[in-house]
Amino acid sequence: MTGPQKYRDRQTGSLVDAMQSTGDNTLELCRWIPEDRQRIVDNAGMPAQYLTTSNGSERVWLFDWVVRDSHGRWHRFKQGAFASQFRPVVETHYRVVGTDAWGISHITPSPSASAARRSVEDLNGWAADQGHPQSWRAETAEVEWKPLEAKR
């Protein structure tokens, strides 16, 4: 996992940032949670990760989820409770597939469909402004999108 991921609360629809404790990402979790919201030793002085929530200090066990809600509050969820309350936000990726006069395809990634359409117009406009021949410009262009798998 590469830091917190976006999830949507199934009940309220609000977005949250969440990160699961995997055992391999303890340092990453420590960097993400503010210092005043965590401690990394238990009462006996042994290494353990604790999160300060509205319920007090809660130990973060292996495979627990740490969640920062849209109001900046921190929560800890067991794996099953997290899965029933939150769903991953699916990202979409748009791209422009343009073909020039020689049949060569040019693929341009884009964050949205409207931006993808604009990029074709901008590119052709730029080519015309630079005095490039018509054959250098995209003759056909279509916008594609596909949902990407959410990272877990």
Side-chain angles (χ1 to χ4, degrees):
M1 186 179 254
T2 58
Q5 303 292 314
K6 293 285 186 192
Y7 287 82
R8 190 169 298 280
D9 189 314
R10 294 178 195 272
Q11 297 169 350
T12 65
S14 62
L15 284 176
V16 299
D17 294 313
M19 193 170 175
Q20 187 176 30
S21 171
T22 64
D24 294 331
N25 67 344
T26 304
L27 291 176
E28 196 172 354
L29 255 168
C30 286
R31 282 192 290 266
W32 179 51
I33 302 169
E35 281 186 39
D36 64 334
R37 290 292 186 181
Q38 67 177 315
R39 64 185 170 100
I40 54 173
V41 292
D42 63 13
N43 294 335
M46 300 300 293
Q49 190 165 23
Y50 285 83
L51 177 69
T52 305
T53 69
S54 57
N55 298 330
S57 186
E58 299 181 37
R59 182 161 181 183
V60 178
W61 295 94
L62 189 62
F63 303 117
D64 281 355
W65 284 85
V66 175
V67 174
R68 181 180 58 206
D69 67 19
S70 58
H71 301 289
R73 295 181 297 238
W74 294 84
H75 309 275
R76 181 192 58 84
F77 287 88
K78 290 290 182 193
Q79 195 169 6
F82 180 84
S84 65
Q85 185 164 348
F86 298 97
R87 64 180 172 80
V89 173
V90 178
E91 299 174 3
T92 55
H93 174 76
Y94 293 84
R95 65 186 197 160
V96 177
V97 180
T99 308
D100 63 20
W102 293 288
I104 299 171
S105 291
H106 304 277
I107 299 172
T108 307
S110 185
S112 69
S114 59
R117 287 187 198 95
R118 274 197 314 275
S119 71
V120 171
E121 295 165 5
D122 292 347
L123 200 54
N124 280 341
W126 174 85
D129 291 345
Q130 298 299 314
H132 294 303
Q134 184 71 33
S135 60
W136 284 28
R137 301 177 205 154
E139 289 187 345
T140 63
E142 57 187 66
V143 176
E144 300 177 340
W145 74 273
K146 84 173 199 180
L148 299 175
E149 290 298 316
K151 297 174 188 154
R152 294 203 49 104

